Short mmCIF file of all heavy atoms in Angstrom, two decimals:
data_model
loop_
_atom_site.label_atom_id
_atom_site.label_comp_id
_atom_site.label_asym_id
_atom_site.label_seq_id
_atom_site.Cartn_x
_atom_site.Cartn_y
_atom_site.Cartn_z
N PHE K 10 97.98 84.00 108.56
CA PHE K 10 97.78 83.63 107.18
C PHE K 10 98.87 82.71 106.65
O PHE K 10 98.64 81.76 105.93
CB PHE K 10 97.60 84.89 106.32
CG PHE K 10 97.07 84.60 104.94
CD1 PHE K 10 95.90 83.97 104.75
CD2 PHE K 10 97.85 85.02 103.81
CE1 PHE K 10 95.41 83.69 103.49
CE2 PHE K 10 97.30 84.75 102.54
CZ PHE K 10 96.12 84.07 102.37
N ALA K 31 99.27 80.26 119.61
CA ALA K 31 99.19 80.73 121.01
C ALA K 31 97.77 81.30 121.33
O ALA K 31 97.34 81.22 122.45
CB ALA K 31 100.21 81.80 121.22
N PRO K 33 93.48 81.88 121.11
CA PRO K 33 92.35 80.95 121.12
C PRO K 33 91.76 80.70 119.72
O PRO K 33 91.05 79.72 119.55
CB PRO K 33 91.37 81.67 121.98
CG PRO K 33 92.01 82.88 122.55
CD PRO K 33 93.28 83.14 121.82
N LEU K 39 94.96 88.56 110.58
CA LEU K 39 93.84 88.42 109.65
C LEU K 39 92.62 87.96 110.44
O LEU K 39 92.24 86.80 110.48
CB LEU K 39 94.18 87.38 108.55
CG LEU K 39 93.16 87.20 107.45
CD1 LEU K 39 92.96 88.51 106.68
CD2 LEU K 39 93.60 86.10 106.52
N ILE K 48 81.68 95.49 113.70
CA ILE K 48 82.78 94.54 113.51
C ILE K 48 83.88 95.20 112.67
O ILE K 48 83.61 95.74 111.62
CB ILE K 48 82.35 93.22 112.81
CG1 ILE K 48 81.35 92.49 113.77
CG2 ILE K 48 83.48 92.30 112.49
CD1 ILE K 48 80.67 91.28 113.18
N SER K 226 88.64 76.93 108.31
CA SER K 226 87.73 75.81 107.95
C SER K 226 88.38 74.92 106.84
O SER K 226 88.22 73.71 106.87
CB SER K 226 86.41 76.36 107.63
OG SER K 226 85.93 75.97 106.42
N ARG K 247 118.48 69.14 117.50
CA ARG K 247 119.46 68.17 117.95
C ARG K 247 120.38 67.80 116.79
O ARG K 247 119.86 67.52 115.72
CB ARG K 247 118.76 66.93 118.50
CG ARG K 247 118.16 67.25 119.87
CD ARG K 247 117.58 66.09 120.63
NE ARG K 247 116.78 66.70 121.72
CZ ARG K 247 115.54 66.42 121.99
NH1 ARG K 247 114.89 65.50 121.25
NH2 ARG K 247 114.90 67.02 122.96
N PRO K 272 110.76 84.75 114.59
CA PRO K 272 111.72 83.83 115.11
C PRO K 272 112.44 84.29 116.38
O PRO K 272 112.98 83.51 117.11
CB PRO K 272 112.69 83.60 113.93
CG PRO K 272 112.40 84.58 112.88
CD PRO K 272 111.05 85.21 113.20
N ALA K 303 77.06 109.80 102.92
CA ALA K 303 78.02 110.17 101.82
C ALA K 303 78.29 108.93 101.00
O ALA K 303 77.97 107.79 101.43
CB ALA K 303 79.29 110.70 102.42
N PRO K 342 97.33 109.17 121.34
CA PRO K 342 96.14 108.57 120.76
C PRO K 342 94.86 109.40 121.09
O PRO K 342 93.97 109.47 120.27
CB PRO K 342 96.09 107.20 121.36
CG PRO K 342 97.51 106.90 121.68
CD PRO K 342 98.18 108.18 122.02
N GLN K 383 111.90 94.83 109.79
CA GLN K 383 112.12 96.23 109.34
C GLN K 383 113.20 96.28 108.26
O GLN K 383 114.21 95.61 108.34
CB GLN K 383 112.57 97.05 110.53
CG GLN K 383 112.51 98.53 110.27
CD GLN K 383 112.80 99.28 111.56
OE1 GLN K 383 113.75 99.00 112.27
NE2 GLN K 383 111.99 100.26 111.84
N ARG K 391 118.81 89.00 102.65
CA ARG K 391 119.62 87.86 103.02
C ARG K 391 119.50 87.53 104.52
O ARG K 391 119.66 86.38 104.89
CB ARG K 391 121.09 88.12 102.75
CG ARG K 391 121.45 88.32 101.27
CD ARG K 391 122.94 88.37 101.06
NE ARG K 391 123.61 89.36 101.98
CZ ARG K 391 123.72 90.64 101.70
NH1 ARG K 391 123.18 91.16 100.57
NH2 ARG K 391 124.32 91.43 102.52
N PRO K 412 108.84 86.11 101.29
CA PRO K 412 109.30 87.41 100.77
C PRO K 412 108.75 88.58 101.53
O PRO K 412 108.77 89.71 100.98
CB PRO K 412 108.75 87.38 99.37
CG PRO K 412 107.56 86.55 99.37
CD PRO K 412 107.66 85.60 100.55
N LEU K 416 99.42 90.28 102.90
CA LEU K 416 98.81 89.02 102.66
C LEU K 416 99.36 88.29 101.43
O LEU K 416 99.66 87.07 101.49
CB LEU K 416 97.32 89.17 102.51
CG LEU K 416 96.55 89.54 103.82
CD1 LEU K 416 95.10 89.63 103.59
CD2 LEU K 416 96.90 88.58 104.89
N ALA K 433 104.93 64.39 100.20
CA ALA K 433 105.20 63.40 101.22
C ALA K 433 105.84 62.17 100.58
O ALA K 433 105.55 61.83 99.45
CB ALA K 433 103.90 63.00 101.95
#
Side-chain angles (χ1 to χ4, degrees):
F10 192 57
L39 186 62
I48 294 175
S226 126
R247 287 188 193 126
Q383 193 172 46
R391 294 188 309 276
L416 292 183

